[in-house]
Amino acid sequence: MPNFEAGKFDVIVVGAGHAGVEAALAAAKMGAKTLVLTINLDMIAFMPCNPSIGGPAKGIVVREIDALGGAMGKVIDKTHIQMRMLNTGKGPAVRALRAQADKVLYQNEMKRLLEEQENLTIHQAVVEELLVEDEKVIGLVTQVGAIYRAETVIITTGTFLRGEIIIGDLKYSSGPNNQQPSIKLADSIRELGFELVRFKTGTPPRVNSKTVDYSKTEIQPGDDVPRAFSYETTEFIMDQLPCWLTYTSETTHQIINENLHLSPMYSGMIKGTGPRYCPSIEDKVVRFNDKPRHQIFLEPEGRNTREVYVQGLSTSLPEHVQRRLIASVPGLENAEMMRAGYAIEYDAIVPTQLWPTLETKKIKNLYTAGQINGTSGYEEAAGQGLMAGINAALRVLKKDEIVLSRSDAYIGVLIDDLVTKGTNEPYRLLTSRAEYRLLLRHDNADLRLLEIGFQIGLVPQERYEKFLGKKQRIEDELSRLRNLMIKPNETTQALIRSVEGSELKDGIRAADLLKRTEMNYDLVGQLVPSEIELTLEEKEQVEIQVKYEGYIEKSLQQVEKLKKMEDKKIPDQIDYNAISGIATEAKQKLKQVRPLSIAQASRISGVNPADISILLIYIEQGKIAKITG
Amino acid sequence: MEFDTIAAISTPLGEGAIAIVRLSGTNAISIANKVFRSPNGKDLFTQASHTIHYGHLVDPKKDEVVEEVMLSLMKGPKTFTREDVVEINCHGGLVTVNRVLQLILINGARLAEPGEFTKRAFLNGRIDLSQAEAVMDLIRAKTDKAMNVALGQMDGRLSRLIKSLRQALLETLAQVEVNIDYPEYDDVEEMTLPLMIEKSTWVRDEIDKLLLTSSQGKILREGLSTAIIGRPNVGKSSLLNSLIQENKAIVTDIAGTTRDIIEEYVNVRGVPLKLVDTAGIRETEDIVERIGVEKSRQVLNEADLILLVLNNAEQLTEEDRRLFKTIEDMDSIIIINKTDLPTEIDVDEVKQLAGNKRVVTTSLLKEEGVDELEEAIASLFFEGTIEASDLTYVSNARHISLLHLSKSTITDAIEAAQSDVPVDMIQIDVTRTWEILGEIIGDTVEESLIDQLFAQFCLGK
Ligand SMILES: Cc1cc2nc3c(=O)[nH]c(=O)nc-3n(C[C@H](O)[C@H](O)[C@H](O)COP(=O)(O)OP(=O)(O)OC[C@H]3O[C@@H](n4cnc5c(N)ncnc54)[C@H](O)[C@@H]3O)c2cc1C
Ligand SMILES: Nc1nc2c(ncn2[C@@H]2O[C@H](COP(=O)(O)OP(=O)(O)OP(=O)(O)O)[C@@H](O)[C@H]2O)c(=O)[nH]1
Ligand SMILES: [Mg+2]
């Protein structure tokens, strides 16, 4: 088939999964002429697994994406079937939203956004080869021989690279959900010299809800208050669908134990590394064999379908065993299986081959984002896609690139972990990965990031001004409460008594009264009413910042230290071989990761403090040499 | 450039009448100010640079005088490191210097890494290019050595205990994390505040015990507990005096002068000793004296090292023989004193009773033989008969300051839990405690929490 020239773009995004759509939208909005190519246009932003977005850490990422001007939050706000705030009984740092998505509506809404976006061209195509000249990407070629030229290319191909589906002893070449896999593109990437790893993940079976006996399960409704991810959402979906909770039974465990030899996980057929946090049901039963039962959540996949996702029953056992497993779960005795669960193996690139901008070190102007970088999860993919899109567009616009720090955002933690430490299993964000999680709350994502979103042109002027107003009102209210004295008069004491607090002995600053456990903003507001009525969000912000001031202060001090180390840049040209004092293992790691700052270097495992000291001295020495020499 | 404030002992460890603890960094003066009291209440901030001040170091928490010192104040940039530098001169003794260092560390300084003063001097432009290589070599060499020492000298019991504390904290942390990251999982026990308090309090109590009883820690804070024993009038108080070179114990020629126990801290050739002069051990009618004698027996039981004094001018008595019997299994040195007087004692019998213990002869009156005695003490100590060495001391200073730090962070956690702060915030202090304890045993594996999470709980879709 003869090749033909099909066009020239600033940014080409390969893939329209969760990473690809954010990358494409961001680049186009920033003014880059953008093309997105994807295997199947009906599968844009498809969710091959859980029909759910958000949750601890991940939900905060969705808010961060929204604050930076990304799409995920707004789209799920329009297309969910239920939304809940999690961890409400805990501190503000770990609260998070989770939504059950209407899978198809989500895809449709995302597709519409892409279609309407200016500067953005969408085309169905299978990319087979990257064109590279002088270690710089210049374009790509598709299955039909179309050559697209580009200044920058972002690859977001998820689990498609040499994807293989496994059910029992059946194994065949396939992308997720029987989509066409990407084999030639995987070859092209390998031929360019990238190191790839083989990872694995899996998904549970789906059943038809009309055959489920819900009377044997517990209902799990959504919250009955309006919730939204996006700060801009004003219309809330109050008509929600519940999920349902049931459990595995003794029979389930027995079936698994009897059929373990049929599991590809145990027969050695699956070689890819799977994530520990998404074990299959056979894994769970084997590893925690003292547990009499495991939870199973039944999650509707949408409003216009009867298909139900059976969370907790992820498996790659043969289909006939899966059928028996389902029947062994209370409520699912007569359930009809619509799709079987399966495991999928795929190639991912070793993420330490990337700069923190997600550009590859090997090939200039080539970026990768999403599951191809060794992560797992829609939100993780979307966060990376957004950053890759932003940085590719900035490259085209010849502006400075943007790297979020670990103290700025969960997205910063995610990318830094990937490019600095790498990962030996599909990487998922957890709140415990963030050392400054008290600062990285879902309630302050806009305060942390909206400014950046505005600067790069993803957040429109009007939204930015609204935000500035909010910020100002919060600051004013904080300083008012910090300065205002409350007298121990009878009104005050009565109010304190009413919430069983201990009475005041003396005057007290309003902020200090608010710090008491039994107090909240509205109570204090009764004593010292504010002239302007704050929004719920603003009140919450004021309350959190006052109540947890001490802890926030501690975290800020740590961040201060981190920033100093981040400011110490490591020159790109540094020759680690020339530094005699650094230990051999550390040298190898440093050469591989090529950290940009002393802070990043110190996070590499195998690089110890003495190596860092020596590195620091070496760099300073270089500076002195330049000045004096 | 701006750095945190570091401190270390900057005179060679061991002998020397004067030892210097040096601080360098932005907060050097403010930290010194917290613990330094001059007789006329000087504020160090208002003093001129390159001046020397007399005064006392005080533990601000207990309002307790720790040491009499001379303090040199040097403001940057005309200092070795180009930062503010404070040098605290205190007399002698590993124990004393160590106490001063601890006080400084508890009040906000960080123990300097090997070669760190020099490194700062370099980074702040004090040392020129040609010296940089040397600095790097120095850091490498010192770090390797310190690491070997730390590994080699670490008390196995200490490291086991720290590991078990960390494991307990890790399990607590994992449980909190699971509650946060997997809120819907109902088969994971909720880490409640009372549970958190219970676990944290246990850890704090263990840290407390460690600080109190860890034998190495005890040697550091108190010195090797050394009891001087012997019949009345043999010269015990004289021995103490000549070891401390000042007249603190009362010396008389009336038998039974010392009726109570006198303690002194001395540094004998780098060995920290807590010397205890006991009332002569003998049967006595005098009640006051009797109490003293009973205490002596007690001291004897708690001692790490015994100095048994005999009188050269008298024959061995049954009492002497009984004393030999009592100290049979203890680290001890036998001293035959008053060699200026005619020998009445049966030296052969003494040697026989002493077995493989060293026998030293002295005339404390004429100041003879003290050198040999000091040498005997030092060699016992350094040859490892008595457990410790001056290098252990270095890592110990680190251990103790880290233990203090971990104690304060876990205390923060407990107090927060008591005032109903949400569990995930208290977590910050618990995590910090876990990290600090990890520094003691050199364990900084980052993934362990996440590993623990998935090993301990059954999670996933
Ligand atoms: C079976 C299964 C189970 C999973 N389970 C979980 C789970 O339990 N928990 C969890 O957090 N995450 C899970 N995931 C992961 C989650 O689905 C992904 O992390 C997320 O969708 C990744 O987004 P992405 O944009 O990187 O890739 P994808 O959403 O996979 O998108 C890839 C895109 O690239 C396109 N593409 C691929 N190759 C080409 C090519 N050559 N040319 C043009 N276009 C191409 C595809 O058409 C697609 O649009 C699972 C995924 C699968 C498949
Ligand atoms: N000739 C001589 N006299 C000594 C020597 N050492 C100590 N004396 C004297 O012996 C007497 C007793 O000395 P102390 O040091 O008080 O003895 P002690 O063992 O502490 O006695 P008690 O506390 O009473 O049990 C004093 O008069 C000392 O001066 C020595 O080496 N030679
Ligand atoms: Mg005496």
Side-chain angles (χ1 to χ4, degrees), chain B residues 147-297:
Chain B
M147 239 149 72
N148 288 340
V149 168
L151 291 178
Q153 301 279 334
M154 180 104 181
D155 183 334
R157 224 186 24 185
L158 178 69
S159 91
R160 270 196 303 281
L161 215 133
I162 301 259
K163 278 187 188 143
S164 76
L165 294 184
R166 291 191 87 220
Q167 185 57 27
L169 290 174
L170 195 60
E171 282 166 19
T172 311
L173 289 171
Q175 203 170 335
V176 176
E177 293 305 332
V178 169
N179 294 159
I180 292 168
D181 276 325
Y182 295 87
E184 71 277 19
Y185 278 78
D186 59 1
D187 46 2
V188 177
E189 187 190 0
E190 179 83 16
M191 177 51 75
T192 56
L193 287 178
L195 210 54
M196 190 98 172
I197 293 174
E198 186 190 314
K199 305 237 168 179
S200 307
T201 308
W202 177 74
V203 170
R204 186 186 55 187
D205 291 349
E206 289 301 310
I207 294 175
D208 258 338
K209 273 192 227 157
L210 260 182
L211 279 169
L212 279 173
T213 63
S214 133
S215 67
Q216 287 167 326
K218 183 175 141 208
I219 291 173
L220 277 169
R221 276 192 328 282
E222 301 179 357
L224 208 59
S225 163
T226 307
I228 306 176
I229 64 168
R231 282 189 293 115
N233 218 31
V234 293
K236 297 182 296 296
S237 301
S238 305
L239 175 59
L240 179 91
N241 288 346
S242 71
L243 285 175
I244 60 175
Q245 289 151 3
E246 63 174 65
N247 294 325
K248 183 143 181 181
I250 312 153
V251 182
T252 65
D253 51 8
I254 306 161
T257 312
T258 306
R259 298 189 181 205
D260 210 335
I261 293 161
I262 291 170
E263 288 184 4
E264 259 317 312
Y265 294 94
V266 297
N267 175 18
V268 173
R269 304 202 176 181
V271 184
L273 300 183
K274 181 179 81 174
L275 284 176
V276 186
D277 177 16
T278 60
I281 293 182
R282 56 162 193 174
E283 301 306 320
T284 172
E285 295 304 308
D286 183 333
I287 291 180
V288 181
E289 200 181 320
R290 175 104 128 257
I291 296 169
V293 173
E294 268 163 25
K295 273 201 190 160
S296 305
R297 290 230 156 86

Side-chain angles (χ1 to χ4, degrees), chain B residues 65-66 76 85 93 173 186 227 243 284 339 435 437:
Chain B
V65 173
V66 173
V85 169
L173 289 171
D186 59 1
L243 285 175
T284 172
T339 49
E435 288 168 354
L437 290 176

Side-chain angles (χ1 to χ4, degrees), chain A residues 49 56 87 90-91 202 247 276-277 279 284 287-288 295 312 431-432 437 551 554 581 611 613 620-621, chain B residues 119 123 129 136 140 177 179-186 416 424-425 427 429 451 454 457-461:
Chain A
C49 202
N87 289 334
K90 305 192 178 82
Y247 295 90
R276 282 171 298 177
Y277 42 83
K284 290 197 246 183
R287 284 185 49 219
F288 297 90
Q295 284 170 309
T431 59
S432 52
R437 75 174 170 209
Y551 284 94
K554 259 193 214 174
D611 299 315
S613 291
E620 291 299 320
Q621 181 186 5
Chain B
K119 175 178 138 192
L123 289 179
L129 193 56
M136 289 195 266
R140 177 89 272 155
E177 293 305 332
N179 294 159
I180 292 168
D181 276 325
Y182 295 87
E184 71 277 19
Y185 278 78
D186 59 1
D424 50 281
M425 302 233 177
Q427 169 95 333
D429 288 319
D451 291 340
F454 295 113
F457 303 103
C458 177
L459 306 159
K461 56 179 181 175

Side-chain angles (χ1 to χ4, degrees), chain B residues 424-443:
Chain B
D424 50 281
M425 302 233 177
I426 301 170
Q427 169 95 333
I428 296 174
D429 288 319
V430 178
T431 308
R432 188 78 196 107
T433 312
W434 180 77
E435 288 168 354
I436 296 169
L437 290 176
E439 283 176 42
I440 297 183
I441 54 171
D443 192 359

Side-chain angles (χ1 to χ4, degrees), chain A residues 444 446-452 463-479 532 534-535 537-538 541-542 545:
Chain A
N444 70 354
D446 55 345
L447 293 168
R448 291 185 274 128
L449 299 169
L450 201 124
E451 181 75 43
I452 298 176
R463 179 177 179 192
Y464 179 60
E465 272 162 18
K466 235 175 97 188
F467 160 75
L468 287 183
K470 168 182 172 182
K471 200 171 150 194
Q472 191 61 51
R473 279 191 299 280
I474 293 169
E475 276 163 21
D476 289 349
E477 183 63 355
L478 278 170
S479 80
I532 38 165
L534 301 188
T535 65
E537 268 177 30
E538 290 160 358
Q541 205 45 239
V542 169
Q545 292 200 27

Side-chain angles (χ1 to χ4, degrees), chain A residues 574-605:
Chain A
I574 194 162
D575 176 9
Y576 290 107
N577 287 328
I579 315 176
S580 57
I582 295 184
T584 318
E585 190 205 347
K587 231 181 244 183
Q588 276 167 1
K589 290 282 181 67
L590 287 164
K591 277 194 274 186
Q592 187 195 358
V593 175
R594 289 158 74 189
L596 299 176
S597 69
I598 289 289
Q600 195 191 350
S602 64
R603 287 192 292 268
I604 302 173
S605 59

Side-chain angles (χ1 to χ4, degrees), chain B residues 38-85:
Chain B
S38 80
N40 45 11
K42 282 180 199 167
D43 176 358
L44 290 177
F45 278 114
T46 61
Q47 303 302 312
S49 183
H50 293 77
T51 50
I52 296 184
H53 309 271
Y54 166 81
H56 290 88
L57 289 195
V58 176
D59 183 344
K61 277 203 198 112
K62 299 180 203 145
D63 219 17
E64 204 174 86
V65 173
V66 173
E67 210 46 57
E68 185 184 30
V69 298
M70 298 294 287
L71 183 148
S72 326
L73 184 70
M74 289 162 278
K75 295 183 183 168
K78 282 192 181 167
T79 62
F80 175 58
T81 55
R82 296 217 160 159
E83 303 171 331
D84 288 348
V85 169

